[in-house]
Amino acid sequence: QVQLKETGPDLVQLTQTLSITCTVSGFSLTTYNVHWVRQPPGKGLEWMGAMWNGGGTDYNSAFKSRLSISRDTSKSQVFLKMNSLQTDDTAKYFCASSYYYDGTPVWWGQGVMVTVSS
Amino acid sequence: DIQMTQSPSSLSASLGDRVTITCRASQDIGNYLTWFQQKPGKSPRRMIYGATNLEDGVPSRFSGSRSGSDYSLTISSLESEDVADYHCLQSIQYPHTFGAGTKLELK
């Protein structure tokens, strides 16, 4: 059974760095891809980037160089790190996984709501 | 970036109605179009992939179609459990981009 769970802070201070961990079970990170998607309160979804099963990454250029995605396959964890947080980064952050051959997420974590506070 | 223009932004329909939501792509995306359903407070659920393929377990009243650069999600006969937000996603080009979403409510 594929499962994903995000863990991270509820609150981050303005200009600080956000770190979220996605812990997966039921599959290997070397066979499935993991995506990061966020959703500001009351708004739509935004694709942030992905860690591909082969270890490569792709990012949404909207985040410029603020965003980094990495993984530890031995711990079945994928990490999101984003710096220079602003108030409009307040959102629920989801990790989600897709088949290795497919770019669209099938399984989703419950998400973690992060508020950026000034 | 490819823009996905989703319409309508909100929709009120009665039980048993036929409902259609559309996404228009700003560039050719082939059939790299996915539809998600998201109920309040929940994570998205993939409903249709490859523009027309129904995900396992999704009721057959849901269907996806394509006409040129317009992609549609249709519910043939609306049920109360279908009340949700619906999102489209293109995955042919990075960054993958979502439509703005459609809120479907009961009239």
Side-chain angles (χ1 to χ4, degrees), chain A residues 67-83:
Chain A
L67 179 63
S68 172
I69 298 172
S70 59
R71 72 180 184 181
D72 184 335
T73 55
S74 67
K75 293 183 178 179
S76 295
Q77 293 180 326
V78 179
F79 310 103
L80 177 145
K81 189 165 287 191
M82 189 163 69
N83 56 33

Side-chain angles (χ1 to χ4, degrees), chain A residues 4-6 22-23 34-37 93-97 107-109:
Chain A
L4 302 95
K5 183 174 174 62
E6 307 89 346
C22 175
T23 302
V34 173
H35 305 252
W36 289 96
V37 175
Y93 289 77
F94 296 95
C95 61
S97 64
W107 303 275
W108 293 69

